[in-house]
Amino acid sequence: MNRYRSLGLSGLRVSAVGLGCMGMSHAYGKPADKEEMIRLLAAAVDMGYTFFDTAEVYGTPEDPHHNEKLIGEALAPYRDRVVIATKFGLTFDDPEGPGPHPLIPDSSPATIRRAVEGSLRRLHTDYIDLYYQHRIDPKVEPEVVADTMRDLINEGKILHWGISETTEEYLRRAHAVCAVTAVQNRYSMMARWHESLFPVLDELGVGFVAFSPLANGLLSGSYDANIKFDPKTDYRAAMPQFQKESYEKNYQLLKLIETLADEKHATPSQISLAWMLNKEPWIVPIPGTRHISRLKENIEAANIILSKDELHAIDAALDDMPMSDVFGGSKISNK
């Protein structure tokens, strides 16, 4: 399989597996050591990663923009070799409390304008390769958001735009005003509810960026029922798939992935990623990690071939398989 692919018809070429950078700063425990992450990001570039995902809200109460600052500093030496995606349009309700924090959406043009300038400054760049609306704002019409994106593209501040957690109607309306390059939605063997959007993406020539492709790490096979997470800093403490009773419910799923991994001389993570990589040429997963060994493991998933028959068999098994609930996203606040 090619190690690189284009996001739909946009011409935006990225590594077949990208790197989700959120967990270095936010939601997966205390922020990782800065110098270690700078080394990890440099190693990622050396391995062939060209697609790095962040957002203005990935941080801590003490440093709300921690992740963008980290990415900006770490990737500055490689700016002409990498595609940086970041996001606008969210703040947290009660960021001091235990996560996942309720989200307050704001996609007004004035807020977008302020957000893009802040992200450009923190990322040490004069353009953003891919700029996502982080969540739909029910108070702002998609045409208004798309019109603002078109202006930012014309000004050279962003090159492409996308929408995270979109619906078909919202996507079609936005795309009609300013072509959308990518949709970024949650997708994994445990979270398949956005597959109904795939024919629309194919029709419109829009790429699909899969976040949480390992169900927040569960499908890597690295956790068991004895795992403990800090509820103050780690969202996984509250996620249904990591509750003690869920491991028994997910036994068949984890066993299926393990069996496929043995057959393909691969790891569970690689099978979980290859499953989606082989579905469509415009799907790009962005697993996150703080470990160089996982970086290497994840990018090599692009070398694993699954036939259409194998994919159909896996999907049929998933359709009939008992499994626990899986985290579906933070609640949207009405504030």
Side-chain angles (χ1 to χ4, degrees), residues 102-165:
L103 306 171
I104 304 171
D106 181 355
S107 290
S108 64
T111 295
I112 294 171
R113 287 275 175 188
R114 284 194 300 274
V116 75
E117 296 301 335
S119 290
L120 288 168
R121 184 175 64 252
R122 290 184 291 269
L123 291 168
H124 303 301
T125 185
D126 54 8
Y127 66 94
I128 294 164
D129 299 277
L130 178 56
Y131 200 39
Y132 291 109
Q133 183 182 16
H134 206 156
R135 290 292 183 274
I136 289 172
D137 181 352
K139 303 183 297 296
V140 181
E141 299 296 324
E143 291 83 1
V144 173
V145 177
D147 200 48
T148 307
M149 294 299 104
R150 182 172 56 192
D151 289 345
L152 292 177
I153 290 170
N154 289 338
E155 293 164 23
K157 292 182 177 179
I158 68 174
L159 304 186
H160 300 265
W161 84 288
I163 312 169
S164 186
E165 294 289 318

Side-chain angles (χ1 to χ4, degrees), residues 8-9 167-169 171-172 175 183 185 187 192-208 279-283:
L9 300 178
T167 62
E168 177 182 347
E169 182 198 2
L171 171 63
R172 286 188 182 277
H175 188 74
V183 162
N185 285 5
Y187 187 47
R192 298 169 61 204
W193 48 82
H194 292 299
E195 288 183 339
S196 60
L197 200 58
F198 288 1
V200 181
L201 299 177
D202 205 29
E203 172 199 337
L204 298 179
V206 175
F208 185 84
K279 280 182 176 256
E280 300 289 352
W282 36 261
I283 294 177

